[in-house]
Amino acid sequence: MATVPDGGPRAGEAATRHTLLVVTLRWPVVLFDFDGTLADTIPLIVASYHHAIGTIGEAADDLEVRSWIGRPLQPVLEERYPGRGQELTDTYRTWNLAHHDELIRTVDGIPELLGRLHDAGARTGVVSSKKAETVRLGLRAVGLEGVIDVVAGQEETTRHKPDPEPLLYAASRLGADAGSCVYVGDATVDVQAARAAGMGAIAVTWGAGVESALEATAPDALVGTSAELAEALLPGS
């Protein structure tokens, strides 16, 4: 039986498959929100908010608390509880870190999707309104450490979502123009920031956002599973 020499048809077939994967990329740069998008952190965040405001005898329903997600922590708390923002932020962070690995969860299919994106030649980043070190802690907890090319946290820019500055910062770190990027998130501010940056926008429904509100922002795609997200990012693959 004849053998296939190195660099023969089998190697060519593998190269062709890789080329096809690259061609199917809709956007060569994929930026993600973290909370409620790459990881299921919503129960952790909601519980942390409830604990923090409970220490000053205050309460808020889950719907209101979920609406705070996606914005920087201290400004949200200061706006809601004037004069108590720093105190509540410190309380929140202490409780959040103590319960972080216990309450954070992996989103089904996301690790596999990131692998497929990298195999297809995509560059990836996380743009979050939380501190970069906390994002990295979360990435480690859900097995995504080392698979993200750049992390842009709260401290990287002076303005935050829905302002486009954090997204544009991440794109510049990757040497990419905005038109080659898409931002994937679970909140209306994520879609708004993407639009303001001139990027594609994909909204996911497994996070903190309300589906009807996300739909009203007119993202390029509204997806309910990681498989649907994969199809939006790698059509036909």
Side-chain angles (χ1 to χ4, degrees):
M1 180 180 293
T3 59
V4 179
D6 291 343
R10 287 180 185 168
E13 289 166 8
T16 299
R17 286 195 296 272
H18 182 71
T19 301
L20 288 173
L21 281 171
V22 173
V23 169
T24 60
L25 275 172
R26 187 172 179 186
W27 293 276
V29 175
V30 184
L31 304 176
F32 295 92
D33 174 51
F34 182 71
D35 292 311
T37 302
L38 284 185
D40 180 9
T41 57
I42 306 307
L44 170 64
I45 293 171
V46 170
S48 299
Y49 270 124
H50 282 313
H51 171 78
I53 65 178
T55 62
I56 61 168
E58 296 287 351
D61 62 43
D62 281 0
L63 187 61
E64 180 182 7
V65 170
R66 289 168 73 95
S67 75
W68 301 340
I69 298 173
R71 297 169 55 201
L73 180 59
Q74 185 172 339
V76 167
L77 289 168
E78 183 62 35
E79 178 183 297
R80 184 66 172 77
Y81 305 100
R84 310 298 291 268
Q86 184 61 61
E87 170 194 353
L88 291 172
T89 296
D90 292 342
T91 302
Y92 174 107
R93 285 183 172 147
T94 298
W95 195 92
N96 183 279
L97 288 173
H99 296 83
H100 184 274
D101 288 2
E102 169 195 348
L103 295 179
I104 196 170
R105 296 289 183 270
T106 302
V107 175
D108 288 344
I110 287 297
E112 294 80 7
L113 172 58
L114 283 167
R116 290 176 63 191
L117 286 170
H118 278 283
D119 287 346
R123 288 172 294 163
T124 58
V126 171
V127 181
S128 174
S129 296
K130 68 193 329 177
K131 289 187 174 182
E133 64 179 303
T134 311
V135 173
R136 292 190 178 95
L137 183 67
L139 290 170
R140 286 196 296 273
V142 295
L144 297 178
E145 184 180 23
V147 300
I148 297 294
D149 297 315
V150 66
V151 173
Q154 175 191 132
E155 63 270 44
E156 309 293 356
T157 60
T158 57
R159 294 188 293 275
H160 304 286
K161 299 180 294 186
D163 192 277
E165 185 178 358
L167 280 66
L168 294 172
Y169 169 82
S172 70
R173 285 277 306 275
L174 292 168
D177 63 90
S180 69
C181 302
V182 63
Y183 188 52
V184 183
D186 69 314
T188 56
V189 293
D190 297 328
V191 179
Q192 291 163 355
R195 292 302 187 215
M199 297 181 181
I202 296 178
V204 305
T205 62
W206 57 76
V210 176
E211 184 169 348
S212 59
L214 291 169
E215 188 173 17
T217 62
D220 291 285
L222 180 67
V223 301
T225 66
S226 60
E228 291 177 358
L229 178 56
E231 179 59 30
L233 296 172
L234 296 159
S237 66

